[in-house]
Amino acid sequence: MGSDLPALLSAALIGTERAPLPTPGPDAAGQAAARITRGDPAGTLLARAALLTLAATAGRQPDPPAPAPTPAPSDPRPEAPARAARHLPHLGGPLLHEWLSLCHAHGSRVPALHLPRLLSLATQDRSLRVPLARVLDERGRWLAQHANSPALAHAEAPDEPTWAALSDTDRDTLHRVLRALNPDTARALLSAQFDTERAASRKRLLSAVLDTLNDDDHTLEPLLEGALDDRSPDVQTLARQILQRLPRSALNARIAEALHDPGTPPSPRDGLSGGPQARLSHVLRHAHPDALLRATPGDLPGLITLARDHHLLDDLIAGTLTHRHQPLAQALLPHAPTPALRALSDPARTLRDGLHDRDPDLILAALAHHPTPWTPDDSHAILSLLQDTLRHTEHPYQWPQRWRTLHDHAHHLHPDTTPPAPLPPDAPHHAQSVWHDLMGTLDTRRQIRHDFKEHP
Amino acid sequence: MTPPTDPILTLAPDTGSAASALKLATPTRWPDLHAGPTHLWGHCQGSGTQPYLTGVDRSGPGAPAFKCSCPSRKFPCKHALALLLLHESHPQHFGTDPAPDPIRKWLDGRAEKHAPPESDADPAGETRSGPDPAAQAKRRAAREKKVSLGLDALQTFLKDLVRDGLAQAAARPYSDWDTQAARLVDAQAPGAARLVRMIPELLPHPDRLLAHLARLYLLTEAWPRRDTLTAPQQADLRAALGFPLDKAATVAAGGTDTRWLILGHTVSDEEQVRTRRTWLHEGGTTALLLDFAAPGWPLPPTLPAGGSVRARLSPAPGTVPQRHVLDGEATRTAPAPLPAPVTLDSLLDAHGAALALNPWLERTAHHLGPVTVHPPTRDGDPWRAGDARGSLPLGGSDTARLTLLALGGGHPQTFTAEWDGQSLTPLCAGQDGTLHPLDAPENDDGF
């Protein structure tokens, strides 16, 4: 503002009825303003203000320099090929996940132009955060600091004040990101921070461990044993679940001892409570099958006989499925040929049977144990079956729920699947529309893969 | 939001349509695809009983033009966009069958409409009568009288505001501003009405409020003295008051047929109208094209931000040759080189010089650089763009600012921006000698 403008503004705010017009200053603008007079003070004020505000705008100088941001470190990885990146603005859901995975596999990073949108999407969709973190690289992490995504700004454990400044949600995200990018650092961070966290945060941190558990997490056993005595029952439960999933954990060894010793005293800390039958039920349902087999002299048949003799076969089956223990599933199959056990014991054969029998339950159960994307042959067979069941469908709910569920998993179809012949022209509109969407999506996925492959 | 990078997708009315078009741009959805010398047509299997018949005319003014039998109200619809995309990506799938009747008739109609006008002489040899000059003068006098009355009332209103004190203005009911704006619309001064409607948003900023009211007041003082102004100054005044531009006369006055670089565009929604400002640059000229649409109606197809077109643009009369009118069609060309970037000092100098000629000029566009984008270090601080001499506030959307920051990585960079005297609105980022649009309108739904 020019030197006379503040005085003019004060008068304007108070009103010329109560405030006198300020005397123009001696500078050139003030003298020019002094020559402007109108029949009334309000008109004079407005006319002078027009001159002075225009002069101020026209003569504006830049504001003082602002503190410059620390520049982003240079990126070790190249940007994803432009041909592949062109798809990004239009992708969401499973296709975006697939793009991010391909980018990671390609050893590339997200081009800078697309970072803001992806960071914004990740604030709304938590499932995107880890896949995105893998391909952010230095520029992306640097930008995350400024884009209100602090949890995505780190590939290493943050310092104490930074960690303390994060919300529970951001700590959870950062922990999950580190578990994916740098698992040793994540475990060290957990060990360092766990005891000082609030119960809700402790629960989130252990949930992340449970969701992404691997064999190396045995090093967390002391922390988890301690968490069995946590003040929060939820934290205790989570710690117990994690220890049960670690085949060589001391907890598994302790509760497996109860298999053959009905006199083992109850231990609520280890989840053993109630009478001997209830405790045995708990052990069969929750202890890792490897620990049970180590404690059972007769190996697989001995364990099954024990469960059957105590009428606890269902518990053993539930435990087998929870821990995805294939040898035990195979041994249990003659006793309980359920789709889930069949699928776990021999996924490939179960899928063949399911496709042959057109049994969606069996197919879905088998696919749960298949790596994704499914093989081109399996994908073709599934696609053919979907088409066959779809072809007379006139509205969404006419298509049975289980087929719709299978269709919901269609993003696992192999992009190089040979598609079946198109639907006949007399197929209902709904069927045509679903089919065309399916084919269009496959086509897009094929194109994205091609773009990554062909443009190194 | 990230803008569509495919030039075809910049024609989409929103990013939802762009995403849908991409989904449809696969030959499996199109039982028929055909291309003529200047047109495309095809059948697209949608959810209807019959496939939709879609056509694109790539000739004539306003090309490409679209026609589709789908019920979509969006224009162009996803089918038309998909047809264009397909022709780019899968030209081998296009046959050469003649277009079916509905498309044929539409193409013929367009060709006829855009055929060169016949001579003014009718078959009998008599010249058709033009507009009656006397009637025109009468209408003009009537309008000017209305404007005079409206601006007199506005001047009284502004003086009342200042007499009572601007501190009291915030306590006024909204109807005060609405009523005043409505009177100016009735007085056929819609430009002044628009400025009055902006007052409520300036109430929390007294310094900006006073500047805005003072500029309005200047309008009320300039109008009665219009006869003392030069013709370009009168044109500035009329434009500020919202007198419609005589596009035919502007075009007739001649223009420049050359390659223009599109610096970017912004879209603003006001109560009655949606306005798109498209900034173009060539040599030393920065041209502004304005497009308007009523609420709920799509804007005309946009020129591709960051791209280049060959077009004839004619400058509207005025002291600063800023607003231009597109004469005929714009066709995509090879990218034009970027103009030399200017420092913040030079930007302010250029803006000030323009303002000295036209006090009602609202904004100017520039290619800036090298400048560094500064995110705020404290809550409530503005983003800034800075160079060695200082900094200016950086407005625009969060996405646009973050995209600039992502591209620059905290290093000096160049970008195009509008300057409105208060803040910079970024338009396109400069990278590797090309411009990248920073904003996409509306939805950002993926699929």
Side-chain angles (χ1 to χ4, degrees):
Chain A
M1 269 190 157
S3 57
D4 285 352
L5 267 176
L8 215 51
L9 178 58
S10 297
L13 282 169
I14 296 166
T16 51
E17 209 166 53
R18 280 170 289 170
L21 277 176
T23 308
D27 60 0
Q31 290 309 298
R35 286 197 289 275
I36 299 174
T37 51
R38 299 289 183 266
D40 58 310
T44 304
L45 188 150
L46 280 164
R48 289 180 179 176
L51 172 71
L52 294 177
T53 55
L54 272 168
T57 309
R60 178 171 176 161
Q61 298 289 312
D63 300 336
T70 310
S74 46
D75 291 300
R77 282 182 279 176
E79 284 193 342
R83 290 278 301 174
R86 73 194 163 124
H87 299 282
L88 261 182
H90 315 290
L91 301 181
L95 283 187
L96 180 53
H97 279 259
E98 184 168 353
W99 192 98
L100 294 172
S101 302
L102 288 168
C103 183
H104 178 56
H106 192 259
S108 305
R109 63 184 160 92
V110 174
L113 183 66
H114 302 284
L115 285 168
R117 174 177 178 259
L118 293 183
L119 287 171
S120 165
L121 286 178
T123 60
Q124 300 149 26
D125 178 0
R126 57 189 301 172
S127 74
L128 265 182
R129 294 172 194 168
V130 169
L132 176 60
R134 291 182 203 274
V135 288
L136 280 181
D137 222 349
E138 295 294 347
R139 177 71 59 98
R141 282 192 285 275
W142 175 84
L143 189 69
Q145 289 175 334
H146 303 292
N148 207 18
S149 303
L152 296 177
H154 304 274
E156 295 292 337
D159 57 23
E160 194 64 44
T162 307
W163 175 263
L166 296 177
S167 67
D168 284 358
T169 312
D170 284 336
R171 290 179 194 185
D172 175 40
T173 302
L174 174 55
H175 179 229
R176 285 176 187 270
V177 165
L178 289 179
R179 280 189 66 81
L181 266 55
N182 200 341
D184 288 337
T185 302
R187 281 188 281 271
L189 177 73
L190 185 67
S191 301
Q193 302 292 350
F194 187 76
D195 288 341
T196 56
E197 291 296 295
R198 296 188 312 121
S201 179
R202 293 199 301 277
K203 193 175 152 189
R204 284 173 188 258
L205 295 170
L206 288 192
S207 293
V209 175
L210 185 61
D211 292 346
T212 56
L213 197 65
N214 63 58
D215 233 20
D216 294 338
D217 289 322
H218 266 292
T219 56
L220 289 175
E221 209 175 327
L223 179 147
L224 295 165
E225 278 288 340
L228 291 176
D229 301 314
D230 198 277
R231 292 188 304 281
S232 159
D234 288 343
V235 173
Q236 290 173 18
T237 304
L238 280 164
R240 198 178 303 123
Q241 286 174 345
I242 297 168
L243 287 167
Q244 288 161 355
R245 299 277 178 89
L246 294 170
R248 291 177 280 108
S249 71
L251 174 90
N252 272 321
R254 288 198 299 273
I255 63 175
E257 279 176 16
L259 261 188
H260 304 289
D261 182 6
T264 306
S267 169
R269 182 177 183 273
D270 289 347
L272 295 178
S273 53
Q277 181 73 1
R279 297 203 295 274
L280 188 57
S281 161
H282 177 89
V283 172
L284 291 171
R285 185 174 280 268
H286 296 291
H288 195 284
D290 283 351
L292 295 177
L293 290 170
R294 275 197 297 275
T296 306
D299 204 29
L300 289 168
L303 183 61
I304 293 168
T305 305
L306 174 87
R308 201 179 47 199
D309 290 350
H310 286 85
H311 306 287
L312 295 174
L313 208 52
D314 285 349
D315 290 305
L316 184 60
I317 292 171
T320 305
L321 293 173
T322 302
H323 293 285
R324 293 186 165 224
H325 200 273
Q326 200 171 37
L328 192 50
Q330 285 166 348
L332 279 166
L333 202 53
H335 303 277
T338 64
L341 273 183
R342 285 174 69 185
L344 176 57
S345 60
D346 189 347
R349 183 173 168 184
T350 309
L351 181 59
R352 279 200 304 276
D353 293 348
L355 291 169
H356 179 267
D357 298 343
R358 302 166 66 90
D359 180 342
D361 287 327
L362 213 51
I363 296 170
L364 283 165
L367 289 174
H369 302 286
H370 272 67
T372 54
W374 307 323
T375 66
D377 286 347
D378 287 346
S379 299
H380 176 78
I382 291 164
L383 208 47
S384 302
L385 205 49
L386 280 175
Q387 188 195 54
D388 208 32
T389 56
L390 177 68
R391 63 185 305 163
H392 301 298
T393 304
E394 290 183 358
H395 54 84
Y397 296 103
Q398 201 180 358
W399 205 15
Q401 168 68 40
R402 303 302 284 161
W403 294 116
R404 276 187 278 141
T405 305
L406 186 57
H407 173 252
D408 290 343
H409 289 75
H411 54 275
H412 293 314
L413 290 167
H414 199 288
D416 294 333
T417 306
T418 309
L423 277 173
D426 60 349
H429 315 141
H430 174 68
Q432 294 280 12
S433 175
V434 171
W435 186 250
H436 284 310
D437 274 352
L438 204 52
M439 292 298 102
T441 305
L442 262 186
D443 198 44
T444 304
R445 291 178 55 209
R446 204 159 28 237
Q447 187 66 55
I448 292 171
R449 280 175 186 256
H450 177 266
D451 290 341
F452 267 111
K453 213 180 286 177
E454 297 298 311
H455 297 87
Chain B
M1 288 178 287
T2 310
T5 47
D6 192 312
I8 291 170
L9 293 179
T10 60
L11 300 169
D14 53 52
T15 47
S17 296
S20 302
L22 274 172
K23 277 177 80 176
L24 285 174
T26 169
T28 53
R29 302 294 302 254
W30 295 78
D32 271 318
L33 285 169
H34 297 281
T38 58
H39 67 272
L40 310 171
W41 70 272
H43 283 108
C44 180
Q45 185 58 56
S47 53
T49 316
Q50 298 294 324
Y52 299 128
L53 176 59
T54 309
V56 177
D57 183 2
R58 303 200 290 177
S59 66
F66 308 95
K67 182 175 176 63
C68 186
S69 61
C70 76
S72 171
R73 287 181 174 191
K74 292 186 178 178
F75 191 80
C77 68
K78 59 187 177 182
H79 308 101
L81 291 169
L83 187 58
L84 272 174
L85 286 168
L86 266 173
H87 192 250
E88 288 277 310
S89 58
H90 298 79
Q92 72 278 14
H93 283 72
F94 280 70
T96 53
D97 286 5
D101 275 353
I103 297 291
R104 186 73 264 153
K105 281 180 187 164
W106 172 67
L107 291 170
D108 290 347
R110 274 183 54 78
E112 197 175 314
K113 186 175 161 192
H114 298 125
E118 291 169 14
S119 153
D120 277 351
D122 68 14
E126 292 176 9
T127 305
R128 287 181 191 156
S129 57
D132 176 3
Q136 268 188 328
K138 196 174 166 186
R139 280 197 299 273
R140 185 183 168 114
R143 176 170 190 164
E144 293 194 346
K145 188 176 171 190
K146 275 186 169 185
V147 172
S148 297
L149 291 171
L151 291 180
D152 278 351
L154 173 63
Q155 192 174 73
T156 305
F157 177 74
L158 294 171
K159 285 181 182 174
D160 284 349
L161 278 178
V162 171
R163 191 174 300 118
D164 294 346
L166 297 184
Q168 311 296 322
R172 284 177 173 256
Y174 261 71
S175 55
D176 269 20
W177 317 111
D178 290 342
T179 306
Q180 189 57 43
R183 283 182 185 152
L184 287 163
V185 170
D186 290 344
Q188 296 191 308
R194 184 178 68 85
L195 295 175
V196 168
R197 276 193 216 100
M198 289 165 65
I199 294 176
E201 71 190 59
L202 296 172
L203 290 173
H205 312 285
D207 52 339
R208 289 170 57 193
L209 175 65
L210 179 60
H212 187 78
L213 297 180
R215 224 176 272 196
L216 257 174
Y217 184 78
L218 197 58
L219 274 179
T220 68
E221 287 208 333
W223 176 252
R225 297 175 176 83
R226 62 190 176 280
D227 291 340
T228 65
L229 302 176
T230 63
Q233 287 170 334
Q234 286 190 29
D236 290 343
L237 177 62
R238 287 174 183 276
L241 287 169
F243 277 66
L245 176 66
D246 184 345
K247 289 190 176 182
T250 303
V251 167
T256 312
D257 185 358
T258 186
R259 183 171 60 161
W260 296 87
L261 173 70
I262 296 136
L263 299 180
H265 42 70
T266 57
V267 177
S268 57
D269 283 306
E270 285 162 18
E271 232 169 292
Q272 309 291 336
V273 71
R274 161 171 272 210
T275 305
R276 181 175 60 218
R277 295 185 294 276
T278 303
W279 295 96
L280 304 97
H281 182 89
E282 193 282 322
T285 305
T286 300
L288 169 66
L289 295 179
L290 293 177
D291 291 302
F292 305 97
W297 288 86
L299 287 159
T302 176
L303 297 177
S308 297
V309 291
R310 178 156 203 101
R312 173 182 288 278
L313 299 188
S314 306
T319 53
V320 180
Q322 186 181 72
R323 186 175 176 194
H324 282 61
V325 173
L326 175 63
D327 177 14
E329 62 181 308
T331 51
R332 289 294 298 262
T333 63
L338 303 190
V342 298
T343 62
L344 296 182
D345 259 345
S346 305
L347 174 148
L348 292 173
D349 283 351
H351 186 79
L355 215 51
L357 293 170
N358 177 359
W360 298 288
L361 197 75
E362 294 189 3
R363 42 182 74 81
T364 49
H366 310 267
H367 181 216
L368 284 180
V371 288
T372 309
V373 173
H374 304 250
T377 50
R378 287 178 309 186
D379 281 350
D381 282 355
W383 284 64
R384 289 190 164 272
D387 61 15
R389 288 272 292 119
S391 67
L392 290 175
L394 186 62
S397 69
D398 284 347
T399 307
R401 291 187 301 236
L402 275 175
T403 306
L404 267 185
L405 188 65
L407 290 170
H411 299 283
Q413 63 191 126
T414 66
F415 62 92
T416 59
E418 269 184 2
W419 171 248
D420 64 1
Q422 297 293 332
S423 66
L424 293 161
T425 300
L427 305 171
C428 282
Q431 199 186 30
D432 303 328
T434 57
L435 291 177
H436 293 275
L438 292 169
D439 250 332
E442 294 157 3
N443 314 323
D444 195 22
D445 303 328
F447 55 84

